[in-house]
Amino acid sequence: MTTPTALSAPSPDRTRWLALAIVMTAAFMDLVDVTIVNIAIPSIQRNEHASVGQIQWITAGYALAFAAGLITGGRLGDIHGRKRLFLVGIGGFTLASALCGFAANPEMLVASRFLQGGMAALMVPQVLSIVHATFPAHERGKVFGLFGAIVGLGAVSGPLLGALLTEWNLFGLEWRPIFLINLPVGVLAWLLGRRFITESRAPKALKLDLVGVALVTLGLLMLLYPLTRGRELGWPLWGYVSMAGAFVVFAGLVAYERRKAARDGSPLVELSLFRVKSFAAGIAVQTVFGVALGIFFLVWTLYMQIGLGWSPLRAGLTGVPFSLAVSTAAGLSVQQLVPRFGRKVLQTGALVMGAGVLLYLWEADRYGLAIASWQMALPLVVMGLGMGLIVAPLTDAVLSEVPREHAGSASGLINTVQQMGNALGLGLVSVVFFGRIGDRLAPAEVGPAFAGAFRHALWYVAGIMGVIFLLMCALPRRPAQHVEGAGEETPVTAVPSPEREPEPQPAG
């Protein structure tokens, strides 16, 4: 029983925090890449003569490949090693970014975006898994606070960075630098990750559940593809049939995974995780929270750029107070507030974010099309503070009682349900936002129509924050690590590969 402690002693704190900086950089790259493309779409369409369908696939291809592969990517990390899969993922992501940046035509760009999303699905689940396996329980609160800050920065850095890179037209490359900027960052992260990240994997040998992979991928595609393309295609009947069929596939997946777990103990989706109250409740909150974010960020961008006629750069700069507020509150919440107040911090965050949405609604109604960026700062700061009180503690709460051998599977599920929530939110935009805008608008009618639709959508976002507040009542009063305190859990090197001797120095 004393072996883990003895083994962990030689591992210096410096190595753990360097590893954290590396995986957080990768997480930031993914967060930025999800949003950076939207700003550059007009430039891509103009310079590459891309069709409307190709433009849709440039954005949707990444999201679909990413969401469909997350659970599988997480489980592959459990089986083959989280460091190994992280390096494969970030290497492939960097290569795919180069292919996007040097794409000779729209077809190559679409294919490269699919590859980029697939590589992100290998990379991103390992981030939380490595954190979970590398840091002892009493340090994870601080770590998830930093993770929440990264989420806040990524939320608006993508549009702002995309606007800057596109408007600067570096070396006459037009939109291409939005992808090429990943190359030096990705190469450096790969080299440092190879040296400083310590390998970890599930302590017992697992096998990849290929039938589970097929069912998960099929179900997610059947659900997310109609949500992604539904509005552009006019919500055809087959889309509704596909979404309904997805739930049949998921029901079949649950039945199969139960038999798989009983037979050999290595299912793709570890259903036993849902018996952990903190995990099940956190997953529900994560899904609904994703819906709210999916609605808000899209309608907010459309409101500023089309409704108010602002440039991409002005719209990006307007979001800076929001980003700073999220980052500040995220660090404060996990390190200082959650240990004292527990679940109440997350519930307060839901109420504060809802209050910020209502304040934004009031200001948008009062000032109309004459609203200025500085007038949006107050509601955005309030919303950002509320979001910061949620994002970091929520991840902490979801993973706090998850066994280490299932860290990859749990991480993949967290990211998957968030993507599903976002996709559902984007699908609902057609109802709560575009449903309020006429098909044929005179130029003078565009601004008022988009401003009115924005206010209408904000009512839905505020209502969803109320639902999230109620769902949070099912979360544990305090995450497990804050109750257990300092660390009798095994730290960084306590989950070595089963077939290898424990190493006192970082792998690489």
Side-chain angles (χ1 to χ4, degrees):
M1 297 297 290
T2 59
T3 303
T5 304
L7 291 173
S8 66
S11 181
D13 288 342
R14 180 181 64 86
T15 299
R16 289 208 298 275
W17 294 102
L18 276 171
L20 177 66
I22 295 161
V23 297
M24 288 299 183
T25 299
F28 183 77
M29 282 173 60
D30 167 67
L31 288 165
V32 167
D33 227 75
V34 169
T35 55
I36 197 172
V37 176
N38 294 335
I39 292 291
I41 284 296
S43 177
I44 295 173
Q45 190 168 23
R46 181 175 61 253
N47 289 280
E48 302 303 318
H49 307 291
S51 67
V52 173
Q54 288 167 335
I55 288 297
Q56 291 168 353
W57 278 115
I58 289 168
T59 54
Y62 182 98
L64 287 171
F66 183 46
L70 277 166
I71 295 177
T72 303
R75 190 46 121 190
L76 284 171
D78 290 336
I79 296 171
H80 298 293
R82 289 138 192 167
K83 172 184 175 179
R84 178 182 295 178
L85 263 292
F86 175 81
L87 293 177
V88 170
I90 197 167
F93 186 88
T94 305
L95 174 61
S97 297
L99 293 174
C100 289
F102 294 115
N105 50 56
E107 292 81 7
M108 182 178 174
L109 181 55
V110 169
S112 300
R113 285 287 284 173
F114 267 100
L115 177 62
Q116 196 180 34
M119 291 298 104
L122 295 181
M123 174 181 71
V124 171
Q126 315 316 323
V127 173
L128 293 180
S129 301
I130 289 170
V131 168
H132 195 62
T134 299
F135 285 83
H138 68 282
E139 289 184 343
R140 283 190 218 134
K142 184 185 295 184
V143 171
F144 285 126
L146 293 172
F147 183 75
I150 291 295
V151 171
L153 287 171
V156 295
S157 295
L160 179 56
L161 189 59
L164 290 172
L165 291 175
T166 303
E167 292 196 8
W168 286 342
N169 188 20
L170 297 174
F171 309 109
L173 292 173
E174 299 287 346
W175 52 271
R176 297 177 187 275
I178 69 171
F179 297 112
L180 299 178
I181 195 174
N182 289 334
L183 271 59
V185 179
V187 170
L188 183 62
W190 188 89
L191 292 172
L192 293 177
R194 188 170 178 270
R195 173 69 181 89
F196 291 109
I197 296 175
T198 301
E199 185 62 282
S200 66
R201 68 186 75 191
K204 64 178 182 179
L206 298 172
K207 297 178 181 179
L208 183 61
D209 175 11
L210 294 177
V211 175
V213 169
L215 290 174
V216 163
T217 304
L218 176 63
L220 287 172
L221 289 176
M222 289 174 65
L223 178 65
L224 297 179
Y225 180 78
L227 285 174
T228 305
R229 296 289 313 282
R231 181 179 63 84
E232 290 83 3
L233 299 175
W235 296 106
L237 177 61
W238 64 260
Y240 294 101
V241 174
S242 177
M243 287 187 284
F247 292 97
V248 177
V249 173
F250 288 140
L253 172 67
V254 170
Y256 174 79
E257 294 296 275
R258 282 177 177 165
R259 292 197 300 272
K260 176 74 172 172
R263 186 166 66 246
D264 61 15
S266 58
L268 176 69
V269 180
E270 191 60 50
L271 298 177
S272 63
L273 291 173
F274 291 93
R275 293 198 290 269
V276 179
K277 182 180 178 182
S278 60
F279 182 82
I283 284 290
V285 173
Q286 193 83 276
T287 305
V288 181
F289 192 49
V291 174
L293 297 183
I295 292 175
F296 175 75
F297 282 116
L298 179 57
V299 301
W300 182 41
T301 301
L302 294 171
Y303 163 65
M304 289 189 292
Q305 292 194 44
I306 300 179
L308 301 179
W310 292 358
S311 69
L313 183 57
R314 181 178 178 183
L317 290 171
T318 300
V320 170
F322 175 86
S323 179
L324 294 176
V326 174
S327 301
T328 302
L332 183 67
S333 61
V334 177
Q335 296 179 50
Q336 298 185 33
L337 298 179
V338 170
R340 293 184 60 190
F341 304 108
R343 181 180 67 197
K344 293 179 181 177
V345 175
L346 287 95
Q347 292 179 302
T348 300
L351 293 178
V352 169
M353 190 169 178
V357 172
L358 293 175
L359 180 59
Y360 206 156
L361 198 156
W362 176 78
E363 288 204 354
D365 184 57
R366 178 181 180 185
Y367 297 110
L369 298 180
I371 192 170
S373 296
W374 67 266
Q375 290 167 325
M376 294 184 184
L378 178 59
L380 287 174
V381 166
V382 175
M383 287 180 62
L385 291 173
M387 182 174 169
L389 294 176
I390 295 172
V391 288
L394 181 56
T395 306
D396 198 9
V398 175
L399 287 177
S400 64
E401 297 174 351
V402 170
R404 287 194 175 199
E405 63 266 26
H406 301 312
S409 181
S411 177
L413 282 167
I414 291 171
N415 286 286
T416 299
V417 298
Q418 189 170 20
Q419 290 297 314
M420 288 175 59
N422 277 324
L424 182 57
L426 292 172
L428 290 173
V429 165
S430 64
V431 177
V432 304
F433 184 77
F434 287 107
R436 307 284 296 187
I437 299 173
D439 291 333
R440 293 182 175 85
L441 296 175
E445 297 173 325
V446 171
F450 272 72
F454 175 67
R455 294 193 298 271
H456 183 258
L458 286 186
W459 281 112
Y460 282 87
V461 176
I464 293 171
M465 297 313 301
V467 173
I468 290 172
F469 172 83
L470 297 176
L471 286 173
M472 285 176 175
C473 295
L475 291 171
R477 292 185 181 275
R478 294 181 187 276
Q481 58 262 46
H482 298 303
V483 176
E484 296 166 5
E488 300 181 356
E489 266 193 88
T490 311
V492 56
T493 53
V495 196
S497 306
E499 70 275 16
R500 294 169 53 192
E501 291 297 319
E503 298 174 343
Q505 295 300 324

